[in-house]
Amino acid sequence: MAEQFDAIVIGGGHNGLVCATYLARGGRKVLVLEAAAEIGGAAITREFAPGYRVSAAAHLLHMMPEALMRELDLAKHGLSFAATDLPTVSLGASGEHVVMSNGKLSSDEADAAAYTNLVTRLKTFARLLAQTFDAPPPRLASGDRRDLWSLAKLGLKLRLLGKRDMREFLRIIGMNVHDLVEEKFTSDLLKGALGFEAVMGSATGPRTPGTVLSLLYRLTGSGFALPRGGMGAVTTALANAAKAAGVEIRVNARVARIVVEQDRASRVVLESGETIAAKSVISNADPKTTFLKLLGPEHLDTGFVRSVSHIRMRGNAAKLHLALSAAPAFAGLPSALHGSRLLIAPSLAYVEHAYNASKYEEASVAPAIELIVPSLNDDSLAPAGCHVLSAVVQFAPYGVKGGWEAEREAFTARIVDQIEAVAPGTRKLIVASELLTPPDLESQFGLGGGHWHHGEIAFDQFFMVRPVPGAAQYHTPINGLYLCGAGCHPGGGVMGLAGRNAARQVLRGAV
Ligand SMILES: Cc1cc2nc3c(=O)[nH]c(=O)nc-3n(C[C@H](O)[C@H](O)[C@H](O)COP(=O)(O)OP(=O)(O)OC[C@H]3O[C@@H](n4cnc5c(N)ncnc54)[C@H](O)[C@@H]3O)c2cc1C
């Protein structure tokens, strides 16, 4: 069969689109095959009730580097913002609250100086981490001078932090976030918020070792922003950039199989039976799906298959969308802050208890919640005078005891109870609601395990061993087959760096 394309990208999530654009700009003929009816993966906007639209999974843009947005000309391709640098507000049930904005606390004088100190220091460490995000991680024990140089540079950067900061970095990096924030602060609202921040998107609680790493990971991002029109506006702009570079994008084109011939990925077979050949195949699907379903373990050695099977990627975050007939009124919160990023995580113990349930396959009794009312900043999302509320809810284990269909209504009611406690009267405003559990996120957006990052962000699944040794530099044991999604370094969040790094590897011809 004649080779029609230089590269096929399986999946039109944001990383697949970024990867495709860089490949096309590098002179390659590229085809993106997306299984769903629209591109975007977990970064889309969709109508969930007549007239009410919401960012269906990811709802805040904070991890995509500005340089990447500029390089891809996303503003020219239609991306604009309804709000940037949203403050984060930790809400208490009696109207008390703590506001965090640009590294400062605007309430709770007692903790203000300690907060600025900690955030400044953590941001320094996060910058160190972020410097590794922009390139493939070095290979372990490869003997290659480039890998050695890359490791040496990392050691040097650590050393250049200075003795005091380097020691502090080494002291805290393996710690749990609970112990770190307990050391520093008195306010339960502040401690709860930081504890929740560290475990967002993960199956961990604040006392889980390694949660300082996941906090630093989140701090590599910048201010929380609301793309105008929701997160779908980001992936629409990315798709426009891809098309402008010459990429062909097909939707409703689910890949069923990656075919290997003469030790090389040579073509893909769609569910429809159509076969398309290419010199390289790059998968935006998660690593388990890519290796175990699309490729098939028969092409891989048993040790590699075992490592892939062991990737921890069972989602523990749900999404609740509420269509509201009017704006919710948050008790005790000045109205200027109602459009902020609001957290219901009033103490470390609250978040830990919420997590504990999920260890035993139960959804939290009192879940921790990140909520926004994006229509307060962007009136394109709801009918005039009406609003949408979008909430990330933890913890909601992928496999809940008794099954999600039995649990869905009760869990929704418990989430609404928590929202009602900080915004009395909200329940009466609900016109429609939608709860997306991890299995829903998996089936509707192709997120394997419904997991935020296509695999936990944890020491055993990070940097040089993400997703697994042997595939951590975007190329895989199969010549011509690459990965480009959140399951690779540096991980998930709408960031685009996995896509860009993967494209660079394909362009260099790394196999
Ligand atoms: C509840 C929730 C809330 C989140 N909130 C935020 C947030 O506020 N901010 C943030 O930055 N991040 C957030 N995230 C994380 C973020 O959404 C993901 O990490 C990110 O979207 C992953 O992007 P990706 O392009 O790597 O993969 P995906 O978005 O998962 O895209 C993969 C694509 O591949 C396609 N695909 C899979 N298999 C095939 C196949 N066989 N054939 C063809 N196509 C296929 C899928 O349909 C999908 O379109 C959230 C995640 C969840 C679950």
Side-chain angles (χ1 to χ4, degrees), residues 10-16 33-36 38 40-43 57-63 231 253-256 284-285 289 294 317-319 370 392 441 445-447 450-454 484-487 492-495:
I10 303 175
H14 82 282
N15 274 314
L33 295 169
E34 168 53 48
E38 57 181 311
H59 62 180
L60 287 164
L61 190 71
H62 59 116
M63 299 204 70
M231 288 299 269
R254 181 178 293 280
V255 171
N284 184 195
T289 301
L294 301 181
K319 197 76 197 301
E370 173 196 67
V392 170
L441 292 162
F445 308 115
L447 272 180
H451 197 283
W452 185 298
H453 295 283
H454 292 194
C484 73
V494 180
M495 192 194 295

Side-chain angles (χ1 to χ4, degrees), residues 286-347:
D286 66 83
K288 269 192 185 169
T289 301
T290 303
F291 290 119
L292 305 183
K293 292 193 184 145
L294 301 181
L295 180 68
E298 63 277 15
H299 297 291
L300 299 162
D301 75 43
T302 41
F304 188 85
V305 171
R306 196 177 311 115
S307 307
V308 172
S309 322
H310 290 166
I311 296 173
R312 289 174 293 111
M313 51 177 295
R314 282 163 77 82
N316 214 335
K319 197 76 197 301
L320 179 74
H321 304 137
L322 299 178
L324 302 173
S325 58
F330 295 94
L333 193 66
S335 57
L337 288 171
H338 288 200
S340 307
R341 171 176 180 255
L342 307 174
L343 303 183
I344 302 179
S347 68

Side-chain angles (χ1 to χ4, degrees), residues 61-117:
L61 190 71
H62 59 116
M63 299 204 70
M64 187 173 276
E66 270 179 34
L68 186 131
M69 290 196 250
R70 268 197 310 275
E71 256 174 45
L72 294 178
D73 274 336
L74 295 192
K76 192 183 104 195
H77 290 296
L79 179 64
S80 66
F81 291 94
T84 54
D85 289 322
L86 291 183
T88 293
V89 184
S90 182
L91 300 171
S94 331
E96 74 278 23
H97 54 269
V98 168
V99 184
M100 288 151 268
S101 183
N102 292 323
K104 293 200 172 70
L105 275 194
S106 42
S107 36
D108 206 319
E109 290 307 316
D111 285 325
Y115 178 77
T116 301
N117 282 341

Side-chain angles (χ1 to χ4, degrees), residues 157-202:
K157 281 174 189 160
L158 183 61
R159 183 64 192 87
L160 289 175
L161 285 175
K163 199 193 270 184
R164 214 167 55 106
D165 273 356
M166 185 178 68
R167 280 186 179 155
E168 182 64 359
F169 179 81
L170 294 173
R171 181 182 80 88
I172 68 170
I173 189 67
M175 268 171 82
N176 70 57
V177 70
H178 173 280
D179 292 353
L180 179 71
V181 301
E182 272 296 358
E183 272 178 8
K184 312 274 179 200
F185 305 119
T186 55
S187 158
D188 279 334
L189 287 182
L190 176 60
K191 290 188 278 186
L194 290 169
F196 186 31
E197 192 75 60
V199 301
M200 282 202 75
S202 305

